[in-house]
Amino acid sequence: MATTYPAAVQQSIPVGPEPVRCVCPSCGAQIISKMKYEPTTKTHLIALLLCCCICWPCVCLPYCMDSCQNANHYCPNCDAFIGTYQS
């Protein structure tokens, strides 16, 4: 007879455009999240649109603006992924 165990439930930590104070789900430490920005498909499409509109000198702007990228939150202690804020 096989024993079944309940599935582990991962708590969702609400994250935003600013670092958040929370308890790391991986190491259990009280932390302020570390943020890293990553370009998305939206970032690339904005750059392509600027290029097509003869604004090619401005093509790098979406890659320099945090508001055009996803904000990924990580634990500064163990570098565990906490969540993503999509603008």
Side-chain angles (χ1 to χ4, degrees):
M1 180 161 151
T3 306
T4 59
Y5 297 100
V9 177
Q10 174 120 10
Q11 281 187 335
S12 175
I13 298 173
V15 294
E18 300 294 325
V20 295
R21 179 179 298 274
C22 63
V23 175
C24 175
S26 180
C27 67
Q30 181 78 19
I31 54 115
I32 296 176
S33 65
K34 173 178 64 172
M35 296 176 57
K36 296 178 186 174
Y37 291 94
E38 275 189 22
T40 63
T41 304
K42 181 177 94 171
T43 311
H44 302 309
L45 289 175
I46 292 170
L48 179 65
L49 182 66
L50 287 170
C51 186
C52 291
C53 292
I54 320 279
C55 294
W56 58 267
C58 300
V59 168
C60 64
L61 285 178
Y63 298 100
C64 298
M65 297 173 57
D66 294 340
S67 63
C68 292
Q69 301 181 43
N70 280 354
N72 294 329
H73 293 256
Y74 295 92
C75 174
N77 293 337
C78 66
D79 209 35
F81 177 75
I82 295 173
T84 298
Y85 175 74
Q86 298 176 349
S87 56

